[in-house]
Amino acid sequence: MKENLSVLMHLVHKELSPAQLALTEQQLSSWLKRLPTIAAAISSAIWDEVFSLHDCPIVERHIFQVKSECVMMNSKMLRYQAMGHLPEILLKKVIDVLEAIVEEIDLHHSHYFKRYDDSLHPIEQESAEKPYKINYNLSVDSLACFNRVIIEAGMVDADPRSELYRFLADSCKTKGKKKEQKISVYSIAKAYNNVEPYAIKVIKDFVLKMLNILNRGFVKLSY
């Protein structure tokens, strides 16, 4: 696990840094082929740790180290995305790999390491209600545009941006997404940094509706 995580960290912190020379076509092709193998190896190593004879505190420490490193790498990749110096195909692949590792840890492993609270069992965890999601009648592009507007207008303070992207991906459902589909951090970050003209028009229409409501006033609700 450590070896593959180190390879991933070398890629993100060194080879993809703006200070480095651009990757050659051969290097790009090589990384695109290697990334799924690296992700699968890290996933396999995590499962091996879970079912190993190691003490729980050791396993807990290793798994959460992997998660924290992936979260930090993902934040750096999102900053790289805003800089625009990397090939889009590689940028998306790396972010998808990092998100998949974090999501797998959260989904399958994190509940085993809550300081060993005997009152919390995997069966109870599985039967717990899924987190509430805000259902927006907006596309991902329009949702990103809306959030950028309220941030640049000073209504919301959202730093660092990487945490905002992750929150929107985890907490929102957009128009056109199936119930079980999750917004990817990559897509929300891309839409935030490159606002589409049609998304601006959609948000303008909603802003006009909101202004009409504010001018009209609110009817007192009975509940």
Side-chain angles (χ1 to χ4, degrees), residues 142 145 195-208:
S142 299
C145 175
V195 179
E196 294 287 346
Y198 88 88
I200 294 174
K201 182 180 183 308
V202 169
I203 298 305
K204 276 184 178 178
D205 290 343
F206 273 107
V207 168
L208 290 174

Side-chain angles (χ1 to χ4, degrees), residues 111 119-131:
H111 60 279
S119 66
L120 182 63
H121 300 289
I123 294 175
E124 294 173 351
Q125 186 78 5
E126 289 172 5
S127 62
E129 290 185 11
K130 292 182 179 179

Side-chain angles (χ1 to χ4, degrees), residues 131-140 142-143 146-147 167-183 206:
Y132 176 77
K133 291 197 175 208
I134 304 170
N135 192 10
Y136 282 92
N137 288 318
L138 298 170
S139 65
V140 171
S142 299
L143 176 64
F146 173 69
N147 278 274
F167 170 79
L168 293 174
D170 290 340
S171 307
C172 301
K173 182 178 178 299
T174 53
K175 186 169 64 175
K177 289 279 184 185
K178 293 181 181 178
K179 195 170 184 180
E180 66 279 4
Q181 279 185 311
K182 180 183 174 183
I183 303 172
F206 273 107

Side-chain angles (χ1 to χ4, degrees), residues 1 19-20 23 25 35 42 46 70 114 116 157 164-166 171 183 186 191-192 194 198 201 209 218:
M1 178 160 59
Q20 298 296 318
L23 296 177
E25 286 294 326
L35 281 166
I42 292 174
I46 290 173
C70 287
K114 300 295 185 183
Y116 325 121
D157 183 10
L164 169 71
Y165 303 147
R166 190 166 292 108
S171 307
I183 303 172
Y186 170 82
Y192 187 97
N194 302 282
Y198 88 88
K201 182 180 183 308
K209 289 179 183 178
F218 293 95

Side-chain angles (χ1 to χ4, degrees), residues 7-8 11 15-16 23-38 89-90 93-94:
V7 171
L8 206 49
L11 171 65
E15 292 205 23
L16 299 186
L23 296 177
T24 65
E25 286 294 326
Q26 186 176 3
Q27 289 173 314
L28 175 61
S29 177
S30 174
W31 278 116
L32 289 173
K33 289 177 182 176
R34 290 181 67 188
L35 281 166
T37 304
I38 292 170
I89 187 171
L90 181 60
K93 178 68 76 173
V94 175

Side-chain angles (χ1 to χ4, degrees), residues 62-72 102 105-106 110:
H62 287 173
I63 290 179
F64 278 98
Q65 181 182 0
V66 172
K67 179 179 176 179
S68 61
E69 292 289 355
C70 287
V71 168
M72 284 192 289
V102 172
I105 289 173
D106 286 341
S110 62

